[in-house]
Amino acid sequence: MKISTILLAGLAVSCAVPAIAETVSVPVSFAGLDLTSARGKAVLDIRISHAVQAICGKPDFRDLKAMAIANKCTNLTMAATQPRVAIAIASAQQSVQVAAVN
């Protein structure tokens, strides 16, 4: 069983995909990104995509079994990151609103 983990702002996200018995962690930083802007969110999405690819791999398209495993890993890992991303974006938006009030 392959356990994939993306560390997003110090929080770990894990997914289990049956196949290989290993745990892989990749940190994803959003330091310096403006998550209240479309550009900042897009850059974070790219960083997460790169981390997911590093975890799940990109097998040869001719190996259908490996492609299925990688696709399942990718889908589960991307879905698992979404709550953390939503929290990071909400926190950034809240910080901007608090700064505007002060």
Side-chain angles (χ1 to χ4, degrees), residues 53-75:
Q53 187 172 353
I55 289 171
C56 298
K58 187 166 181 149
D60 186 322
F61 70 91
R62 294 171 290 189
D63 185 344
L64 297 180
K65 184 176 179 180
M67 286 293 294
I69 291 168
N71 286 339
K72 184 173 183 178
C73 175
T74 297
N75 292 337

Side-chain angles (χ1 to χ4, degrees), residues 8 28-51 78 81-82 85 88-89 92-93:
L8 183 65
V28 176
S29 173
F30 56 86
L33 296 180
D34 177 3
L35 296 181
T36 63
S37 73
R39 180 169 163 61
K41 292 174 192 172
V43 171
L44 180 58
D45 287 343
I46 290 168
R47 289 179 184 179
I48 291 170
S49 293
H50 288 163
M78 288 297 287
T81 65
Q82 294 313 302
V85 171
I89 291 170
Q93 290 170 337

Side-chain angles (χ1 to χ4, degrees), residues 33-37 41 87-102:
L33 296 180
D34 177 3
L35 296 181
T36 63
S37 73
K41 292 174 192 172
I87 290 168
I89 291 170
S91 178
Q93 290 170 337
Q94 185 177 23
S95 295
V96 168
Q97 289 173 351
V98 169
V101 171
N102 291 332

